[in-house]
Short mmCIF file of all heavy atoms in Angstrom, two decimals:
data_model
loop_
_atom_site.label_atom_id
_atom_site.label_comp_id
_atom_site.label_asym_id
_atom_site.label_seq_id
_atom_site.Cartn_x
_atom_site.Cartn_y
_atom_site.Cartn_z
N ALA A 219 139.66 68.24 8.50
CA ALA A 219 140.61 69.35 8.67
C ALA A 219 139.92 70.57 9.27
O ALA A 219 140.50 71.30 10.08
CB ALA A 219 141.25 69.70 7.32
N LEU A 220 138.66 70.75 8.91
CA LEU A 220 137.88 71.86 9.47
C LEU A 220 137.63 71.63 10.96
O LEU A 220 137.80 72.52 11.79
CB LEU A 220 136.55 71.99 8.71
CG LEU A 220 135.57 73.04 9.23
CD1 LEU A 220 136.15 74.44 9.15
CD2 LEU A 220 134.25 72.97 8.44
N THR A 221 137.24 70.41 11.29
CA THR A 221 136.96 70.07 12.69
C THR A 221 138.18 70.29 13.57
O THR A 221 138.08 70.73 14.70
CB THR A 221 136.49 68.60 12.79
OG1 THR A 221 135.49 68.38 11.82
CG2 THR A 221 135.92 68.29 14.15
N SER A 222 139.36 69.96 13.03
CA SER A 222 140.56 70.12 13.85
C SER A 222 141.17 71.53 13.73
O SER A 222 142.27 71.77 14.19
CB SER A 222 141.58 69.04 13.49
OG SER A 222 141.94 69.18 12.14
N GLY A 223 140.45 72.41 13.06
CA GLY A 223 140.88 73.81 13.03
C GLY A 223 142.00 74.14 12.06
O GLY A 223 142.58 75.22 12.10
N LYS A 224 142.33 73.20 11.15
CA LYS A 224 143.41 73.45 10.20
C LYS A 224 142.97 74.37 9.07
O LYS A 224 143.80 75.02 8.43
CB LYS A 224 143.90 72.12 9.61
CG LYS A 224 144.68 71.29 10.61
CD LYS A 224 145.45 70.18 9.90
CE LYS A 224 145.93 69.13 10.88
NZ LYS A 224 145.10 67.90 10.86
N ILE A 225 141.71 74.37 8.76
CA ILE A 225 141.18 75.24 7.70
C ILE A 225 139.96 75.99 8.25
O ILE A 225 139.43 75.63 9.30
CB ILE A 225 140.80 74.44 6.42
CG1 ILE A 225 139.77 73.37 6.73
CG2 ILE A 225 142.05 73.81 5.79
CD1 ILE A 225 139.27 72.62 5.51
N ASP A 226 139.51 77.02 7.52
CA ASP A 226 138.44 77.88 8.04
C ASP A 226 137.04 77.48 7.57
O ASP A 226 136.05 77.84 8.20
CB ASP A 226 138.70 79.32 7.64
CG ASP A 226 140.01 79.82 8.21
OD1 ASP A 226 140.17 79.77 9.44
OD2 ASP A 226 140.90 80.21 7.42
N CYS A 227 136.95 76.83 6.42
CA CYS A 227 135.62 76.42 5.94
C CYS A 227 135.78 75.37 4.85
O CYS A 227 136.89 75.11 4.38
CB CYS A 227 134.85 77.62 5.39
SG CYS A 227 135.54 78.28 3.87
N VAL A 228 134.67 74.74 4.48
CA VAL A 228 134.66 73.77 3.38
C VAL A 228 133.55 74.16 2.42
O VAL A 228 132.42 74.43 2.86
CB VAL A 228 134.41 72.33 3.91
CG1 VAL A 228 134.22 71.36 2.75
CG2 VAL A 228 135.56 71.88 4.81
N ILE A 229 133.86 74.24 1.13
CA ILE A 229 132.81 74.47 0.13
C ILE A 229 132.50 73.14 -0.52
O ILE A 229 133.38 72.49 -1.08
CB ILE A 229 133.23 75.51 -0.94
CG1 ILE A 229 133.58 76.84 -0.27
CG2 ILE A 229 132.12 75.70 -1.97
CD1 ILE A 229 133.99 77.94 -1.25
N ILE A 230 131.25 72.71 -0.40
CA ILE A 230 130.86 71.38 -0.90
C ILE A 230 129.36 71.38 -1.18
O ILE A 230 128.64 72.27 -0.74
CB ILE A 230 131.28 70.29 0.14
CG1 ILE A 230 131.27 68.90 -0.49
CG2 ILE A 230 130.40 70.38 1.39
CD1 ILE A 230 132.05 67.87 0.29
N ASP A 231 128.89 70.35 -1.87
CA ASP A 231 127.47 70.23 -2.19
C ASP A 231 126.61 70.08 -0.93
O ASP A 231 127.04 69.47 0.04
CB ASP A 231 127.25 69.02 -3.11
CG ASP A 231 128.08 69.10 -4.38
OD1 ASP A 231 129.31 69.31 -4.26
OD2 ASP A 231 127.53 68.94 -5.47
N ASN A 232 125.38 70.61 -0.99
CA ASN A 232 124.54 70.70 0.21
C ASN A 232 124.21 69.37 0.87
O ASN A 232 124.21 69.26 2.09
CB ASN A 232 123.26 71.50 -0.06
CG ASN A 232 122.43 70.93 -1.20
OD1 ASN A 232 122.97 70.29 -2.11
ND2 ASN A 232 121.14 71.15 -1.18
N GLU A 233 123.90 68.34 0.09
CA GLU A 233 123.48 67.09 0.73
C GLU A 233 124.62 66.41 1.48
O GLU A 233 124.46 66.05 2.65
CB GLU A 233 122.79 66.16 -0.27
CG GLU A 233 121.41 66.64 -0.70
CD GLU A 233 120.46 66.90 0.47
OE1 GLU A 233 120.55 66.21 1.48
OE2 GLU A 233 119.62 67.82 0.35
N PRO A 234 125.81 66.21 0.85
CA PRO A 234 126.91 65.69 1.66
C PRO A 234 127.26 66.63 2.82
O PRO A 234 127.58 66.17 3.91
CB PRO A 234 128.08 65.54 0.68
CG PRO A 234 127.64 66.15 -0.59
CD PRO A 234 126.16 66.27 -0.57
N ALA A 235 127.12 67.94 2.60
CA ALA A 235 127.40 68.89 3.69
C ALA A 235 126.53 68.59 4.89
O ALA A 235 127.00 68.56 6.03
CB ALA A 235 127.18 70.33 3.21
N LYS A 236 125.24 68.33 4.65
CA LYS A 236 124.32 68.02 5.75
C LYS A 236 124.78 66.76 6.48
O LYS A 236 124.78 66.70 7.71
CB LYS A 236 122.91 67.77 5.21
CG LYS A 236 122.12 69.05 4.95
CD LYS A 236 120.64 68.66 4.77
CE LYS A 236 120.03 69.33 3.58
NZ LYS A 236 118.81 68.67 3.09
N ALA A 237 125.15 65.74 5.68
CA ALA A 237 125.58 64.48 6.29
C ALA A 237 126.85 64.70 7.12
O ALA A 237 126.95 64.20 8.24
CB ALA A 237 125.83 63.43 5.20
N PHE A 238 127.80 65.47 6.60
CA PHE A 238 129.05 65.72 7.33
C PHE A 238 128.80 66.56 8.58
O PHE A 238 129.38 66.31 9.63
CB PHE A 238 130.08 66.41 6.42
CG PHE A 238 130.58 65.55 5.30
CD1 PHE A 238 130.78 66.08 4.01
CD2 PHE A 238 130.88 64.20 5.50
CE1 PHE A 238 131.25 65.29 2.97
CE2 PHE A 238 131.35 63.40 4.45
CZ PHE A 238 131.54 63.94 3.19
N ALA A 239 127.94 67.57 8.47
CA ALA A 239 127.67 68.43 9.62
C ALA A 239 126.96 67.64 10.72
O ALA A 239 127.19 67.88 11.91
CB ALA A 239 126.83 69.64 9.20
N GLU A 240 126.12 66.69 10.31
CA GLU A 240 125.43 65.87 11.30
C GLU A 240 126.39 64.92 12.01
O GLU A 240 126.26 64.65 13.19
CB GLU A 240 124.34 65.03 10.61
CG GLU A 240 122.94 65.55 10.87
CD GLU A 240 121.95 64.97 9.87
OE1 GLU A 240 121.97 63.74 9.65
OE2 GLU A 240 121.18 65.78 9.31
N ALA A 241 127.37 64.43 11.24
CA ALA A 241 128.30 63.45 11.80
C ALA A 241 129.39 64.09 12.66
O ALA A 241 130.13 63.39 13.35
CB ALA A 241 128.92 62.63 10.67
N ASN A 242 129.54 65.41 12.58
CA ASN A 242 130.60 66.08 13.33
C ASN A 242 130.04 67.19 14.21
O ASN A 242 129.40 68.11 13.70
CB ASN A 242 131.63 66.68 12.37
CG ASN A 242 132.37 65.62 11.58
OD1 ASN A 242 133.35 65.07 12.04
ND2 ASN A 242 131.87 65.31 10.39
N GLU A 243 130.34 67.11 15.50
CA GLU A 243 129.93 68.15 16.44
C GLU A 243 130.51 69.50 16.05
O GLU A 243 131.62 69.59 15.54
CB GLU A 243 130.50 67.81 17.83
CG GLU A 243 129.72 66.80 18.62
CD GLU A 243 128.48 67.40 19.26
OE1 GLU A 243 128.61 68.37 20.01
OE2 GLU A 243 127.38 66.86 18.97
N GLY A 244 129.74 70.56 16.30
CA GLY A 244 130.31 71.91 16.23
C GLY A 244 130.43 72.50 14.84
O GLY A 244 131.09 73.51 14.65
N LEU A 245 129.79 71.89 13.85
CA LEU A 245 129.85 72.45 12.49
C LEU A 245 128.48 72.97 12.08
O LEU A 245 127.46 72.39 12.44
CB LEU A 245 130.31 71.38 11.48
CG LEU A 245 131.70 70.79 11.68
CD1 LEU A 245 132.00 69.83 10.54
CD2 LEU A 245 132.76 71.88 11.76
N VAL A 246 128.46 74.05 11.33
CA VAL A 246 127.19 74.56 10.80
C VAL A 246 127.34 74.90 9.31
O VAL A 246 128.44 75.15 8.83
CB VAL A 246 126.70 75.83 11.54
CG1 VAL A 246 126.23 75.49 12.94
CG2 VAL A 246 127.76 76.91 11.58
N ILE A 247 126.22 74.88 8.63
CA ILE A 247 126.19 75.23 7.21
C ILE A 247 125.65 76.65 7.11
O ILE A 247 124.60 76.96 7.70
CB ILE A 247 125.30 74.25 6.43
CG1 ILE A 247 125.85 72.83 6.54
CG2 ILE A 247 125.20 74.67 4.95
CD1 ILE A 247 124.91 71.76 6.02
N LEU A 248 126.35 77.52 6.38
CA LEU A 248 125.87 78.91 6.24
C LEU A 248 124.54 78.93 5.49
O LEU A 248 124.31 78.13 4.58
CB LEU A 248 126.89 79.75 5.47
CG LEU A 248 128.26 79.96 6.11
CD1 LEU A 248 129.09 80.91 5.26
CD2 LEU A 248 128.13 80.49 7.54
N ASP A 249 123.67 79.86 5.89
CA ASP A 249 122.36 79.97 5.25
C ASP A 249 122.46 80.41 3.80
O ASP A 249 121.66 80.01 2.97
CB ASP A 249 121.49 80.99 6.01
CG ASP A 249 121.09 80.45 7.38
OD1 ASP A 249 121.06 79.21 7.51
OD2 ASP A 249 120.84 81.26 8.28
N THR A 250 123.45 81.25 3.51
CA THR A 250 123.58 81.71 2.12
C THR A 250 124.35 80.67 1.32
O THR A 250 125.40 80.20 1.73
CB THR A 250 124.33 83.05 2.05
OG1 THR A 250 125.53 82.94 2.82
CG2 THR A 250 123.47 84.18 2.58
N ALA A 251 123.80 80.30 0.19
CA ALA A 251 124.43 79.28 -0.65
C ALA A 251 125.42 79.93 -1.60
O ALA A 251 125.30 81.11 -1.94
CB ALA A 251 123.36 78.55 -1.44
N TYR A 252 126.41 79.17 -2.01
CA TYR A 252 127.41 79.70 -2.93
C TYR A 252 126.86 79.74 -4.35
O TYR A 252 126.91 80.75 -5.01
CB TYR A 252 128.69 78.86 -2.85
CG TYR A 252 129.89 79.63 -3.33
CD1 TYR A 252 130.65 80.38 -2.44
CD2 TYR A 252 130.25 79.63 -4.67
CE1 TYR A 252 131.73 81.12 -2.87
CE2 TYR A 252 131.32 80.36 -5.11
CZ TYR A 252 132.06 81.11 -4.21
OH TYR A 252 133.11 81.85 -4.65
N THR A 253 126.31 78.63 -4.80
CA THR A 253 125.73 78.60 -6.15
C THR A 253 124.87 77.34 -6.34
O THR A 253 125.02 76.38 -5.62
CB THR A 253 126.82 78.63 -7.24
OG1 THR A 253 126.20 78.53 -8.51
CG2 THR A 253 127.77 77.49 -7.10
N GLU A 254 123.99 77.38 -7.32
CA GLU A 254 123.11 76.24 -7.58
C GLU A 254 123.51 75.55 -8.88
O GLU A 254 123.91 76.21 -9.83
CB GLU A 254 121.66 76.72 -7.67
CG GLU A 254 120.68 75.59 -7.54
CD GLU A 254 119.26 76.10 -7.27
OE1 GLU A 254 119.09 76.86 -6.28
OE2 GLU A 254 118.38 75.73 -8.03
#
Side-chain angles (χ1 to χ4, degrees):
L220 176 62
T221 311
S222 61
K224 289 195 195 103
I225 58 175
D226 299 303
C227 69
V228 172
I229 301 181
I230 196 162
D231 303 52
N232 57 332
E233 289 305 327
K236 278 195 227 160
F238 293 139
E240 255 163 48
N242 295 274
E243 279 282 303
L245 298 184
V246 289
I247 299 170
L248 297 185
D249 290 334
T250 50
Y252 202 90
T253 177
E254 197 165 305

